Amino acid sequence: FQSGQLGLSGQWGHVKKAYAVANRLLGDIIKVTPSSKVAGDLAQFIVANNLTEEQILAEAETLSFPNSVIEYFQGYLGIPPYGFPEPLRTKILKGRKIEGTNLVTFEGRPGAEMPPYDFDSKGAALRDQHGADNIREVDMMSAALYPAVFD
């Protein structure tokens, strides 16, 4: 579906080959959602921009990678068992800070550096915004886990 949305449906064979390249560039990570999405996004980026593995390694500092790839290298999904491929990670991140922090990358488990979530105040805000009868506990969890989608 996503390949079709990007105008790549006629290049499915290229996308599949690029997935193998993306896998190598990402460090042969375990593919489960969301890491498989990162690999797929990178594969489609490779095909859409007609890039080779060598070009990505050489030009990483100047390429505009998908956000999922940037967040992967920042450690949003955790740290892969064998670490991140360097110097690719450093080139892609270019000192870019994680939003709302002074960190370039997470060290350890990403959630460990977050402040505790205030369910009471978020629930009150959601009830004010949407009406008390329209917000259930499952809605509060959805808003906590996927704020951009919920709002």
Side-chain angles (χ1 to χ4, degrees), residues 6 12-13 24 30 38 41-42 46 49 51 66 69 89 99 102 108 111-112 115 120 125 130 140 142 147-148 151:
L6 296 172
W12 182 239
R24 282 193 300 277
I30 297 165
V38 174
D41 288 350
L42 182 54
I46 291 168
N49 292 286
L51 296 167
V69 174
R89 178 189 200 191
E99 187 177 334
N102 289 323
D120 292 334
H130 300 286
M140 289 186 356
S142 295
D151 289 335

Side-chain angles (χ1 to χ4, degrees), residues 14 16 29 31 38 45 61 78 82 88 109-110 135 144 148 150:
H14 295 294
K16 290 192 298 185
I29 56 174
K31 261 65 95 228
V38 174
F45 174 79
E61 291 171 304
Y82 303 107
L88 182 61
R109 188 178 62 80
I135 297 298
F150 189 84

